[in-house]
Amino acid sequence: MSPPLRGEATSRLRRIAGNPGISQESPLSFVRLPESPIRCKNLVGGAFVDVVTKDTISVTSPWTGAVIGEVPMSRAADVDTAVALAKRASVGWAATPLRERCQVLYRFRDLVLRDLEMLAHRAASEAGKTVAEARAGILKGVEVTEFATALQNIPGGGVMEVSRGVSCEIRRKPLGVVAGIVPFNFPAMVPLWMIPNALALGNSFVLKPSEKVPLTAQLLGALLAEAGLPEGVFSLVNGGVEAVDTILDHPDIQAVGFVGSTAIARKVYERGSKAGKRVLALGGAKNHLIVTPDADVDMTARAVLDSFTGCAGQRCMAASVLLAVGDIEPVLAKVQEQAKNLALGSGMGAIIDRGALARLEAAIGRAESEGAKLVVDGRGKKPSDSSYSGGNWLGATLLDGVRPDSEAGCQELFGPILAVVRVKNVTEALQIENANRYGNACSVFTTNGAVAEAVAAGAKAAMIGVNVGVPVPREPFSFGGMGESKFGHGDITGPSSIDFWTHNKKITRKWAPQDDQNWMS
Ligand code: NAD
């Protein structure tokens, strides 16, 4: 195994991965954008390289609209080269003892924490998050990395005497080259749902970042190299549809983890499976909060607001529909007041791009014309700091009296918009939640244990909150939805991800020639 990179090699990789982008003189008070545009490269065989065609697209910051980078669009040939070198590297990495592989990830975890602020500002600049949100996402990635480093302490497989003089052993083996294809909304966290476990288990990993947010992944690649990961074991292929399709069809890629919208998740699952790969594809979501009249007013209002406005509603666990059971006016009044006063920039970040902003604004207009009451309208709001006037801004938006079968009531909008649907009782709330095609998260706000248990048992969603607005399970409890929020088996983190990134080899042994005849003799 290569020793951790030191000195010149490390600083060269870090230089290519982009300057820290932290300017103390920046007039921007919420997030420090890169001082100059960062030219992303692919990471192939341990080197940051250009793509064959030199095609690039610009990366703009949702905060200001400024160009902060450019990303290469890989062609099939670029993916082929990366996979060939990843395959070559996978032989030595698979043969490296688990404990040594975990040591690399220990160092990686420490380096991520060392560079936490740089990573957080980088992710915030490109994804439009607040720095606090970006930091929290990276720390979730650290949590998954810690799970991966602990794999060395969990016996994998086992041996058992299955007949007189005959034993069976089961061994966990890496798959070889595996890939991850990720969305824009968590530039570090979603890649880190996959990378640490897949690497610790002995695979080579090829990451295709979102072309909207490719800058943070450059730093992750440099940090993995600095941690001592052998060249070629982690690769970056930037790009769009051609890069994804090449990954899905590639005969030397054994498994693909995908996170993104449902339409693309379905395509990735079907195309990758047809090519004989293992695929786990996480899709979109429409998450429900069920609020009952006995809920604690202050705690509930705060949790509701945080859930639908955190990451400007651009997270797959964000609340999207509030199912108001009976009279919950005190909670709604507080949510309304806090939503109206939520400052853009300091309290909430920006929408990823102009197209998404226009789509959300149009959806608000359609909801109103379909009869919903626009209680708080976030359209046209801007941060008070004029440095951000070129950004993509939408304030928190609250719609009341939304029909459950309308667009705002049942489709993913992916913005800071909460649709309040009025229901008579918890049974009706559960019927609406169950009828939705997605199945990521559902939370109930109540002080009644029986109601909470009824929702925990009866909701369709795979991640349930009781008085928790964003019920992301902490590791080792795994992350994953159901319905059209997930295609494939198991979860993307936690124990089932161990199965996803490995296969089981079974060895049956008999050493002693014995007298007894049995079915194995
Ligand atoms: P997206 O589906 O547009 O893109 C995801 C990835 O797919 C990107 O890397 C992109 O380059 C690639 N891609 C896009 N179109 C493609 C095509 N036609 N063929 C092949 N590849 C293609 O998603 P996004 O807009 O980046 O992210 C937001 C979506 O991700 C939301 O729907 C959100 O709910 C979902 N998401 C889900 C989870 C989850 O855990 N379920 C987590 C985060 C985000």
Side-chain angles (χ1 to χ4, degrees):
M1 189 176 53
S2 354
L5 284 175
R6 294 256 177 267
E8 183 50 24
T10 303
S11 57
R12 186 178 54 81
L13 274 175
R14 286 169 60 76
R15 241 185 354 260
I16 295 169
N19 61 50
I22 295 180
S23 156
Q24 298 309 326
E25 293 83 49
S26 168
L28 298 166
S29 49
F30 303 129
V31 60
R32 300 183 200 117
L33 303 187
E35 288 164 345
S36 54
I38 292 166
R39 230 182 114 225
C40 296
K41 298 197 174 217
N42 283 357
L43 179 57
V44 175
F48 279 100
V49 299
D50 288 319
V51 300
V52 286
T53 59
K54 308 238 184 312
D55 282 351
T56 60
I57 59 171
S58 297
V59 182
T60 55
S61 175
W63 284 85
T64 60
V67 173
I68 55 170
E70 64 178 36
V71 58
M73 300 305 281
S74 298
R75 311 302 297 264
D78 298 301
V79 177
D80 288 345
T81 311
V83 174
L85 293 177
K87 189 178 176 188
R88 193 189 295 166
S90 71
V91 179
W93 184 241
T96 303
L98 174 63
R99 192 179 146 69
E100 282 178 42
R101 297 195 300 250
C102 288
Q103 295 307 314
V104 174
L105 288 159
Y106 264 125
R107 290 194 290 272
F108 172 69
R109 170 206 178 267
D110 290 350
L111 294 171
V112 169
L113 290 176
R114 181 196 70 188
D115 289 352
L116 183 60
E117 289 311 297
M118 186 200 298
L119 284 160
H121 280 272
R122 177 73 67 93
S125 327
E126 59 179 346
K129 289 173 187 300
T130 65
V131 176
E133 288 165 351
R135 196 182 291 123
I138 294 158
L139 290 173
K140 176 71 194 179
V142 167
E143 192 182 301
V144 180
T145 309
E146 287 169 354
F147 176 89
T149 59
L151 289 173
Q152 63 176 313
N153 299 321
I154 304 171
V159 188
M160 194 173 154
E161 187 179 47
V162 292
S163 184
R164 192 163 303 208
V166 181
S167 69
C168 271
E169 180 191 349
I170 195 159
R171 277 185 202 169
R172 221 158 42 200
K173 302 291 288 179
L175 298 176
V177 182
V178 299
I181 300 159
V182 291
F184 78 79
N185 64 329
F186 284 96
M189 182 186 82
V190 171
L192 292 176
W193 280 352
M194 306 183 211
I195 297 167
N197 292 344
L199 290 181
L201 292 163
N203 301 287
S204 284
F205 195 93
V206 177
L207 178 69
K208 206 298 281 173
S210 163
E211 61 276 38
K212 294 177 184 170
V213 298
L215 308 179
T216 307
Q218 298 278 298
L219 291 175
L220 295 179
L223 292 181
L224 283 164
E226 189 176 348
L229 192 71
E231 294 176 349
V233 174
F234 177 76
S235 314
L236 282 170
V237 289
N238 288 288
V241 178
E242 182 168 346
V244 172
D245 289 350
T246 309
I247 287 171
L248 296 176
D249 297 341
H250 206 294
D252 287 332
I253 294 180
Q254 308 303 324
V256 173
F258 172 89
V259 181
S261 58
T262 286
I264 310 302
R266 191 195 303 277
K267 166 193 161 168
V268 165
Y269 182 74
E270 288 172 357
R271 188 164 176 158
S273 302
K274 200 165 160 223
K277 293 180 201 332
R278 216 175 259 194
V279 185
L280 179 59
L282 272 52
K286 187 81 180 171
N287 303 311
H288 297 78
L289 304 180
I290 300 174
V291 180
T292 66
D294 63 16
D296 180 281
V297 172
D298 289 337
M299 182 179 78
T300 303
R302 191 71 239 169
V304 169
L305 185 87
D306 288 349
S307 182
F308 89 92
T309 62
C311 301
Q314 300 165 111
R315 58 180 165 182
C316 62
M317 295 294 279
S320 186
V321 173
L322 189 156
L323 294 161
V325 181
D327 179 0
I328 61 153
E329 297 322 301
V331 172
L332 290 177
K334 275 218 153 65
V335 173
Q336 177 181 345
E337 181 198 324
Q338 291 171 5
K340 221 182 253 168
N341 295 328
L342 185 64
L344 288 174
S346 54
M348 187 167 80
I351 303 300
I352 186 68
D353 56 29
R354 291 201 202 293
L357 178 60
R359 184 179 52 72
L360 291 168
E361 289 174 339
I364 295 169
R366 278 194 298 276
E368 208 180 4
S369 61
E370 282 173 4
K373 184 175 167 207
L374 190 51
V375 180
V376 182
D377 185 359
R379 290 173 297 183
K381 281 196 181 163
K382 298 261 181 209
S384 55
D385 183 338
S386 63
S387 324
Y388 300 99
S389 53
N392 314 317
W393 298 103
L394 177 65
T397 297
L398 192 59
L399 297 160
D400 199 355
V402 174
R403 280 199 345 260
D405 58 350
S406 66
E407 180 191 28
C410 69
Q411 291 181 29
E412 181 178 50
L413 298 180
F414 220 55
I417 302 169
L418 185 68
V420 177
V421 173
R422 302 283 178 159
V423 294
K424 290 187 293 297
N425 49 40
V426 172
T427 306
E428 188 186 351
L430 284 172
Q431 279 163 357
I432 293 170
E433 192 271 348
N434 281 207
N436 195 266
R437 65 188 186 117
Y438 299 107
N440 250 14
C442 175
S443 292
V444 58
F445 290 85
T446 182
T447 48
N448 182 324
V451 168
E453 292 313 309
V455 171
K460 166 187 172 183
M463 292 175 277
I464 305 293
V466 175
N467 298 316
V468 172
V470 185
V472 174
R474 194 193 181 287
E475 296 305 306
F477 296 92
S478 50
F479 188 96
M482 64 159 293
E484 293 189 20
S485 295
K486 190 177 78 180
F487 301 84
H489 179 73
D491 286 339
I492 197 81
T493 68
S496 60
S497 76
I498 299 174
D499 289 335
F500 184 73
W501 299 118
T502 54
H503 74 93
N504 287 330
K505 182 173 262 186
K506 282 75 60 180
I507 302 150
T508 304
R509 293 189 183 89
K510 180 168 100 174
W511 287 108
Q514 71 276 87
D515 337 322
D516 282 10
Q517 287 293 312
N518 59 44
W519 65 271
M520 287 222 159
S521 300

